[in-house]
Amino acid sequence: LNRLRLEAPAKINLFLEVLSRRPDGYHTLSTVFQQISLADTLHVRHDPDGPPATRLKTAGADLPVGPKNLVVRAADAFRAAGHVLGGMSFHLKKGVPVGGGLGGGSSDAAAALKACWSLSTGRPLRRFPAEAFIKTARGLGADVPFFLRGGTALGAGVGEKLRPLAPPRKTWIVLVFPRVFVSTPWVFQRLRFPLTKRRSSLKIIKTLSLARSPREWTPFLFNRLEEIVLPRVPAVAQAKRALLQAGCLAALMSGSGSSVFGVVASPREGERVRERLRSRDWDLWLVHTCASNS
Ligand code: C5P
């Protein structure tokens, strides 16, 4: 076992409420993460007898390939945690837009941790002990722990305290990346506390797993960060309006933006929505929700 190919899937947030600002500047959240079918691909080669160096090449996006890259940081964190690992070469093909609120970089980091574990232990990826890597993952970024298991999960703390949720029925989603970059710290810093009318995740959690149609849970989609981003970044507000006008059941910004997703009742509806939005100056995908593969 010295070569691997992994998918690093993206996520959307079906619910995101901010609870408080911590002294370290991070924010405690209540959020529902949902893995989707849009993904990066990571090819990995392991040289067990080589020097403990990490190499990275990327395709599909202009990313740093040095020690700032989350894939390189993940492999280095794996070594720093005391695991023995020889040379690692990664080839990352980006399919998820960078800086879109879809967790692409966090998912790459989680995939790299899984690859390091599998290649150094010789054990299959499906045996990956996610629980044992939560701390290492958290050190790489607030969303990385979620991607160790993926699927559907309720996130608390800064997103690292996770409770797996039963996955919803396969749901089709039109995803828009309006080709603007929104900085996550910039968004969080603009929240004013105390927040008025705090929302609870109970209703969406309750309806999500039981619903036969997404119509039953789309009324409970919510993202607190929309009230910061929509008035300040017109391209995001336009994307949301366009998805609704094109016939989506609901539309919501993911994470801190800039991506917006629209929920549709069927793949045919999704094709129709995509056709209506095609001529615009943004990236569009028809994707679906995915269950955890572990
Ligand atoms: O952990 P990560 O690098 O993904 O977070 C990027 C930035 O987003 C943090 O430095 C912080 O400013 C902000 N953030 C936050 N609260 C969270 C997650 C992220 O304030 N729960």
Side-chain angles (χ1 to χ4, degrees):
L1 247 189
N2 54 15
R3 269 170 195 267
L4 268 183
R5 177 182 166 280
L6 300 83
E7 299 267 287
K11 58 86 181 162
I12 52 177
N13 301 81
L14 301 177
F15 179 90
L16 195 165
E17 177 61 296
V18 182
L19 303 177
S20 66
R21 179 173 289 153
R22 302 196 318 194
D24 65 0
Y26 267 87
H27 296 76
T28 56
L29 312 172
S30 168
T31 187
V32 176
F33 292 107
Q34 174 61 58
Q35 178 183 334
I36 57 173
S37 53
L38 184 70
D40 294 341
T41 309
L42 193 61
H43 289 265
V44 193
R45 263 189 11 228
H46 180 220
D47 176 6
D49 305 317
T54 307
R55 282 197 308 209
L56 172 67
K57 282 186 182 165
T58 62
D62 199 13
L63 285 175
V65 292
K68 270 197 176 160
N69 190 290
L70 275 167
V71 168
V72 177
R73 284 182 50 205
D76 292 347
F78 185 84
R79 287 195 180 89
H83 304 281
V84 179
L85 188 69
M88 293 291 282
S89 302
F90 294 95
H91 187 176
L92 176 63
K93 276 196 192 127
K94 289 300 287 183
V96 181
V98 176
L102 301 171
S106 300
S107 187
D108 297 339
L113 281 178
K114 291 184 206 178
C116 289
W117 176 83
S118 177
L119 290 167
S120 66
T121 60
R123 303 184 65 195
L125 283 168
R126 65 190 148 76
R127 295 252 176 254
F128 179 71
E131 290 302 315
F133 283 90
I134 300 253
K135 258 207 172 146
T136 309
R138 170 64 194 93
L140 296 166
D143 287 347
V144 182
F146 164 71
F147 288 107
L148 296 177
R149 291 196 65 227
T152 312
L154 176 66
V158 299
E160 88 289 11
K161 291 185 186 142
L162 294 160
R163 175 153 72 82
L165 299 174
R169 285 205 168 188
K170 184 174 185 177
T171 304
W172 292 85
I173 283 164
V174 180
L175 190 62
V176 174
F177 176 60
R179 296 187 189 160
V180 291
F181 177 79
V182 180
S183 150
T184 303
W186 181 89
V187 174
F188 276 106
Q189 276 159 22
R190 275 158 185 75
L191 283 168
R192 290 291 165 261
F193 292 90
L195 300 170
T196 49
K197 261 191 86 190
R198 185 179 287 175
R199 301 292 190 100
S200 152
S201 59
L202 282 177
K203 279 191 179 144
I204 193 161
I205 291 172
K206 224 171 152 184
T207 47
L208 203 54
S209 60
L210 299 173
R212 271 174 297 156
S213 153
R215 280 173 219 278
E216 293 171 43
W217 52 261
T218 49
F220 308 120
L221 289 170
F222 177 74
N223 183 345
R224 173 65 65 185
L225 302 177
E226 277 195 338
E227 66 194 46
I228 304 296
V229 179
L230 296 184
R232 293 173 173 85
V233 190
V236 178
Q238 276 159 21
K240 175 157 172 153
R241 257 199 318 273
L243 282 164
L244 291 171
Q245 278 165 3
C248 291
L249 298 174
L252 191 75
M253 184 178 82
S254 181
S256 57
S258 63
S259 297
V260 183
F261 63 91
V263 181
V264 287
S266 67
R268 271 188 59 199
E269 267 306 306
E271 287 295 352
R272 227 170 279 156
V273 168
R274 190 160 66 164
E275 208 48 53
R276 287 186 192 128
L277 301 184
R278 198 185 290 285
S279 59
R280 307 286 283 267
D281 199 15
W282 50 41
D283 297 313
L284 273 177
W285 298 268
L286 178 58
V287 302
H288 57 79
T289 60
C290 295
S292 165
N293 44 15
S294 60

